[in-house]
Amino acid sequence: LWALTRDGQLDAYEVKEGSFKRLSSFRYKDPLSDFFYINHQIIGITSARQLFNINGDMKKTDLALLGFDVKDIGFYKNSYIIAWASKGYSVYDHDFKPSDFLENEMAPMKYMKITSISSAKDEILWCGTDGSGMIRISQEEKKFGLVTRFDQSNYSNIKQVRSFCEVNGNLWLGTKGNGIVVLNNFSITTGKSSGDQLYQAPLDLN
């Protein structure tokens, strides 16, 4: 288990005898603001927007100095897609050098606010957005698929997706203002589902 402390320190824990025991700690010269587990490695970001990774011995390697705050990072086809906290994105190659990979496929998302990024086993990239629903990206002829099909009329205004995940073949969407939406038997090929469910939440899902 990895945990980021309030003062910007990254701690590693293991479960031992029914409780968590801290194994090691990592501290950069600047406090850490966030971290991600991507492509079998820990990637951290400091308050000064320095991007780095650390290995199992807690040794760091600086990767890039970023110009904007980061919302999420995804890994797709040996490339890293960084969603900026304000809007838009950037793509980097495996060595974190700027890349034009997916330049045409993701061009319409340049001014969108991307909230989450995840890649699927079938080489499809999924992006949750604030205001444009969930977008499916691939290098096929049909590059974009916007999830807008809901059987119930009260689902029609769901466009602000905060987070999403697959659970037993169903797609779970955490939304802003509409609680949790479950798309049962969701098909990544057709973008259709059956027997959708809505769980209202007392507060917005951040």
Side-chain angles (χ1 to χ4, degrees):
L1 175 68
W2 295 87
L4 183 61
T5 65
R6 291 182 178 180
D7 60 351
Q9 175 177 292
L10 187 62
D11 294 334
Y13 293 85
E14 70 171 351
V15 178
K16 190 173 183 179
E17 297 178 353
S19 62
F20 286 102
K21 179 182 178 181
R22 187 168 63 182
L23 295 175
S24 56
S25 299
F26 173 84
R27 185 179 291 275
Y28 202 88
K29 61 181 180 180
D30 298 309
L32 273 67
S33 58
D34 208 345
F35 74 96
F36 305 88
Y37 182 70
I38 305 172
N39 190 27
H40 310 293
Q41 62 182 323
I42 294 291
I43 294 180
I45 305 171
T46 72
S47 58
R49 298 172 178 164
Q50 176 66 54
L51 194 72
F52 64 93
N53 65 6
I54 57 177
N55 59 24
D57 296 326
M58 304 297 276
K59 302 295 184 181
K60 74 170 181 67
T61 301
D62 290 339
L63 300 174
L65 185 61
L66 305 177
F68 307 96
D69 292 333
V70 174
K71 181 64 177 178
D72 199 9
I73 303 177
F75 186 73
Y76 178 69
K77 291 189 175 182
N78 214 34
S79 296
Y80 295 90
I81 298 94
I82 298 182
W84 303 119
S86 55
K87 63 180 179 180
Y89 67 93
S90 291
V91 179
Y92 296 82
D93 64 17
H94 191 267
D95 297 319
F96 273 93
K97 304 297 182 183
S99 170
D100 59 2
F101 178 59
L102 294 177
E103 182 177 11
N104 295 328
E105 290 83 353
M106 294 188 67
M109 302 178 65
K110 185 177 181 179
Y111 300 104
M112 293 183 184
K113 185 172 182 179
I114 303 171
T115 57
S116 52
I117 304 173
S118 181
S119 58
K121 296 179 181 179
D122 53 359
E123 298 189 341
I124 290 179
L125 183 68
W126 294 91
C127 295
T129 71
D130 188 346
S132 300
M134 193 165 70
I135 295 177
R136 182 183 67 181
I137 303 168
S138 68
Q139 291 186 296
E140 300 172 356
E141 181 179 354
K142 184 178 180 181
K143 300 180 178 63
F144 288 83
L146 181 62
V147 179
T148 56
R149 177 190 175 276
F150 296 100
D151 294 334
Q152 288 80 0
S153 60
N154 61 337
Y155 291 0
S156 60
N157 293 324
I158 296 178
K159 292 184 177 180
Q160 294 182 324
V161 178
R162 292 304 196 205
S163 182
F164 59 90
C165 66
E166 182 271 336
V167 180
N168 298 327
N170 303 324
L171 181 64
W172 288 58
L173 305 178
T175 72
K176 179 180 179 181
N178 292 89
I180 297 174
V181 176
V182 180
L183 306 183
N184 291 322
N185 302 315
F186 184 76
S187 171
I188 59 175
T189 303
T190 65
K192 296 182 178 181
S193 62
S194 62
D196 304 337
Q197 303 174 55
L198 173 64
Y199 300 97
Q200 294 288 354
L203 298 173
D204 288 343
L205 299 174
N206 295 319

